[in-house]
Amino acid sequence: MGLLRQQDACSWGCYITPPTPRLRERKQERNQRGGGSPRSPALSRSHPFCSPSLVSFQPSILPICPVMPPNLTGYYRFVSQDNMDGYLRALDINVALRKLVCFLKPDKEIIHAGDHMTIRTITSLRNYIMDFDLGKEFEEDLGPVDGRKCLTVVSWEGDQLVCEQQGEKRNRGWRHWLEGDHLHLRMTAEDEVCVQIFQKVK
C-alpha cells in the first residue's frame, strides 16, 4: 500500500487504488508466481462509497480532525431585518414599544475567547449584555427585553452558535452564523421568526 496517498482513502477507511497499467502488471506477476493471497469475502464487500473492483480494505490510520467553529469576535453594524414586529408581538410587547424598537438599528459587539463569550447589543434606547460560558446552562434575565427570565444554554451546532431559552414562551431562542463578513441572527419565539443581518466593520 506504499503507493497510496491519504486523499485516496474513503470515509470507510478504504484506499481507492486507480487501475493503472503498472498496478495491473504487478498483480499479474504475483498471480503467475502464485504468491497472491485470497481476499476475504468480508473485506471485498461492496459499500456505498467505493466500487469493489477498485478497493482493497485497510484500517484507516488517518487522524480524525474535528471542525473548529469560527471565532465571532468583532464589531458589527446593522444592515437589515425582517419581521421584528411579529417577533416582539409573540413576546407580548405593546404596540408603542414595538414601533419604537422596529426603528432601532442595533450594533453587535462580540468578544469570543475560547469557551467564554460576551455579546453586546447596542442601541440608542438601551443596551443588552449577554455574558456566558458555552455549553453551561444559566439563568438569563431578559428584563430589558420583555421582563422575563429564562434558563438559557448556548452551544455550537456545526458553524452556528445556537441559544435555547427555556421559559414561558415556547420555541424561544436564536442562532448566529457568519457568511463572509456578514453576521446573521435568526431569533424565534412561538411561531414567529425574525432575521437580522450585520456587517463586520472591525
Side-chain angles (χ1 to χ4, degrees):
M1 304 297 288
L3 297 177
L4 302 179
R5 304 163 298 173
Q6 288 186 345
Q7 56 264 39
D8 293 325
C10 82
S11 60
W12 275 36
C14 300
Y15 287 85
I16 302 173
T17 58
T20 62
R22 177 56 184 158
L23 289 176
R24 284 196 293 266
E25 291 173 4
R26 291 176 62 184
K27 183 177 180 181
Q28 291 173 358
E29 291 173 0
R30 287 197 303 270
N31 291 338
Q32 291 172 358
R33 292 196 302 267
S37 57
R39 179 180 294 179
S40 167
L43 299 183
S44 61
R45 68 187 186 278
S46 176
H47 55 78
F49 303 105
C50 306
S51 167
S53 64
L54 300 179
V55 172
S56 57
F57 187 88
Q58 174 152 320
S60 175
I61 59 174
L62 301 179
I64 299 175
C65 300
V67 177
M68 297 299 293
N71 191 301
L72 300 181
T73 295
Y75 196 94
Y76 303 85
R77 296 282 188 196
F78 176 85
V79 174
S80 65
Q81 69 185 11
D82 180 62
N83 195 37
M84 176 58 77
D85 185 74
Y87 172 75
L88 295 175
R89 188 170 57 249
L91 295 176
D92 304 321
I93 306 299
N94 65 67
V95 175
L97 186 55
R98 291 205 310 266
K99 289 183 177 180
L100 178 59
V101 172
C102 287
F103 279 111
L104 296 176
K105 296 182 178 181
D107 287 350
K108 289 277 185 181
E109 183 181 25
I110 300 178
I111 301 173
H112 179 184
D115 288 335
H116 187 80
M117 297 189 74
T118 302
I119 301 177
R120 294 186 177 94
T121 303
I122 304 165
T123 74
S124 57
L125 178 63
R126 64 180 63 170
N127 300 333
Y128 179 69
I129 300 175
M130 190 176 182
D131 191 83
F132 56 90
D133 291 317
L134 291 167
K136 294 184 179 180
E137 188 177 71
F138 63 98
E139 185 178 67
E140 183 181 9
D141 185 357
L142 291 161
V145 180
D146 65 339
R148 295 183 173 92
K149 291 185 178 181
C150 292
L151 288 178
T152 298
V153 62
V154 184
S155 57
W156 289 105
E157 288 187 6
D159 59 355
Q160 296 191 10
L161 186 67
V162 178
C163 173
E164 297 180 5
Q165 297 166 316
Q166 300 294 327
E168 179 183 339
K169 289 296 181 178
R170 176 180 56 85
N171 191 36
R172 188 169 187 177
W174 52 261
R175 61 179 60 220
H176 268 305
W177 70 94
L178 283 173
E179 292 184 9
D181 58 357
H182 285 86
L183 177 71
H184 293 249
L185 171 61
R186 183 180 187 270
M187 299 179 289
T188 59
E190 300 291 335
D191 297 320
E192 298 293 336
V193 178
C194 173
V195 176
Q196 292 182 323
I197 300 176
F198 303 83
Q199 171 84 41
K200 187 173 184 178
V201 294
K202 62 181 179 179

